Amino acid sequence: MKWLVSLVGAGLVMLTLRDLFHTLWHPTRHGGLSRLVMTALWRLARRFRPRRRVVGLVGPLAMVTVVGMWAFTVVLGWAIVYWPHMPGAFTFSPGSKAAQEPALLDAIYLSLVTVATLGLGDIAPGEGWLRLVSPLEALVGFAHTAEARTRGTGRRSLLVVSAPSLTTTASDARAAD
């Protein structure tokens, strides 16, 4: 039963990463979850049509909402992965009262700390597979934070490498000389 719950959490993480990929990098730029959130916010804004300021804020608000939704679902998904294995598969620092807290609270705390790449060390994975999975969560959190910051400022993506065009015309070659 523990593994089934962990698979549900992994499925939530994968669903979120799929939506993130399809929204940011896929040629169609249509992620399922993010599209639903943005459509709902735009429909809600139509009700406030006379107020132009409200409609003007919908785009940035929708972007922040989608990024927040991605962060929330990634943290929740990883917490569900950890939850059934708390506290037995983890080590707690001496003097820490974390083991006395409910397992779900510890799992959410560990997930938030790992996604934010803080790595406080008061709860650490003890089993081998968790020691491999936990850094993957930190990598996902780092990539999500970097991409959200890049998209929010309007700069080019840090995670997508763009290659220069391989074709040049004769006039481009002459201009370079």
Side-chain angles (χ1 to χ4, degrees):
M1 186 64 171
K2 286 182 177 183
W3 291 102
L4 184 61
V5 174
S6 291
L7 284 174
V8 169
L12 183 59
V13 170
M14 295 305 288
L15 179 70
T16 304
L17 293 179
R18 181 198 174 280
D19 186 66
L20 193 143
F21 171 77
H22 277 274
T23 301
L24 298 178
W25 301 304
H26 196 267
T28 61
R29 299 225 183 250
H30 291 189
L33 297 172
S34 57
R35 188 174 187 156
L36 286 173
V37 169
M38 289 203 167
T39 302
L41 286 173
W42 280 109
R43 286 183 181 164
L44 184 64
R46 285 186 194 159
R47 295 181 185 222
F48 300 106
R49 196 67 162 155
R51 298 181 182 183
R52 290 182 169 227
R53 285 187 166 177
V54 172
V55 174
L57 294 174
V58 172
L61 177 64
M63 184 178 68
V64 168
T65 303
V66 167
V67 169
M69 177 200 63
W70 287 334
F72 174 76
T73 54
V74 163
V75 167
L76 182 64
W78 284 106
I80 292 171
V81 169
Y82 297 143
W83 178 36
H85 308 284
M86 279 286 179
F90 293 88
T91 57
F92 296 86
S93 64
S96 173
K97 295 182 181 178
Q100 299 169 355
E101 299 294 330
L104 182 59
L105 183 63
D106 283 343
I108 291 171
Y109 167 77
L110 176 64
S111 184
L112 278 169
V113 167
T114 306
V115 162
T117 64
L118 294 174
L120 298 179
D122 53 344
I123 303 175
E127 290 186 8
W129 73 274
L130 286 169
R131 293 174 59 112
L132 292 174
V133 167
S134 188
L136 289 176
E137 181 184 7
L139 184 62
V140 167
F142 176 75
H144 179 266
T145 304
E147 191 61 30
R149 184 177 300 146
T150 303
R151 295 287 172 167
T153 59
R155 295 186 179 138
R156 294 188 91 180
S157 174
L158 295 172
L159 302 176
V160 177
V161 178
S162 60
S165 175
L166 298 177
T167 59
T168 56
T169 61
S171 60
D172 290 341
R174 275 185 250 130
D177 291 330

